[in-house]
Amino acid sequence: SMYTVALTGNCLILLAVKRTPSLHQPVYYFLSMLALTDAGLTLSTMPTTLAVLWFDYRLIGFNACLVQIFFLRSFSVVESSMLLAMSFDRFVASPPLCAMQLSSQIMSSSGLATVSLFPVPFLLKRLNYCPGKILLSHSFCFHADVMKQACADITVSILYGLYVVLSTVGVDSSLIVLSYILNLYTVMGLAFPRELIQALNICVSHILAVLVFYIPVIGVSMIHHFGRHLPHIVHALVAYVYLTVPPVLNPIIYSMKSKPIREAMLKVLRRKGQD
């Protein structure tokens, strides 16, 4: 399944970076953190998915559903922060100490952003829900879907959810765009075509990872706000793309574009085969 592929690929990157001393550099540190975040996002959705597919969604308690909503949003915020850290690392081309300080500052802001997610489950819990309605429209708990089941005014939950999105993913995406505008401006000033191509090639994998993450995020937000008239299968498909495609594609993108990562992953696989 997609979950197995995502978890295997990201765990393989973590092992490759850990077991290869030459990859103990800031850029690969960021990449391993991104892989760890993707693995956490995959694991946070699997229990509910298995319960729905193999058992009964009613076995999932409402409190467990709220916990899953919190973790889904938290991992998304952390991944957005990691992509921002990687974009700044590309721009400043800083030495390891400076890059590590930069990453610690961005991760601290990511932690503060995660704290802002704490009220979300409590805002949902205080609502009265209509009896007889099915809580889950997907095989996992989704914030917008849970809100729709309430027989009460959900304005506060909507506004606070919008604030969280704009103050975390919205700010991160804006800063990523700004950093790459400055980066491209700097790169275009290179005199030699070979250096220009090399510099652009370094950024390609990260740009692809940014697109793979933000396009599904924007898509799932747009579909829930403006696509209410669309069939349920469309909502479910967009939600699954949002949760499974980035964790699956990120290891493929980085293993294809980064020769050191590719070689380290092959060494890990060979070692596993010999064992």
Side-chain angles (χ1 to χ4, degrees), residues 183-218:
N183 198 2
L184 289 174
Y185 178 79
T186 303
V187 168
M188 291 303 175
L190 296 175
F192 300 101
R194 180 178 297 179
E195 293 179 355
L196 175 62
I197 294 174
Q198 184 179 3
L200 290 175
N201 188 54
I202 293 174
C203 297
V204 166
S205 58
H206 183 253
I207 292 175
L208 290 176
V210 168
L211 294 176
V212 163
F213 175 75
Y214 281 104
I215 289 177
V217 167
I218 295 172

Side-chain angles (χ1 to χ4, degrees), residues 78-89:
V78 172
E79 181 159 355
S80 179
S81 298
M82 289 310 307
L83 291 172
L84 175 61
M86 293 171 74
S87 68
F88 274 120
D89 179 66

Side-chain angles (χ1 to χ4, degrees), residues 6 19-20 62 79 122 126 130 139 152 176 200 245 252 272:
R19 296 182 178 181
T20 309
F62 182 67
E79 181 159 355
F122 296 102
R126 72 179 181 86
C130 302
S139 60
I176 288 173
L200 290 175
V245 168
I252 298 174
K272 291 287 184 180

Side-chain angles (χ1 to χ4, degrees), residues 127-139:
L127 298 174
N128 294 320
Y129 292 89
C130 302
K133 277 194 174 183
I134 298 176
L135 182 61
L136 298 179
S137 60
H138 308 309
S139 60

Side-chain angles (χ1 to χ4, degrees), residues 116-187:
S116 69
L117 293 170
F118 273 107
V120 171
F122 296 102
L123 290 174
L124 293 176
K125 189 175 178 62
R126 72 179 181 86
L127 298 174
N128 294 320
Y129 292 89
C130 302
K133 277 194 174 183
I134 298 176
L135 182 61
L136 298 179
S137 60
H138 308 309
S139 60
F140 52 87
C141 301
F142 209 65
H143 185 204
D145 291 328
V146 175
M147 283 194 302
K148 290 177 183 178
Q149 312 305 319
C151 298
D153 185 12
I154 60 174
T155 303
V156 175
S157 294
I158 292 175
L159 292 178
Y160 192 80
L162 182 62
Y163 158 74
V164 170
V165 171
L166 293 178
S167 63
T168 55
V169 177
V171 172
D172 290 345
S173 60
S174 300
L175 292 176
I176 288 173
V177 171
L178 176 62
S179 68
Y180 267 101
I181 290 175
L182 296 174
N183 198 2
L184 289 174
Y185 178 79
T186 303
V187 168

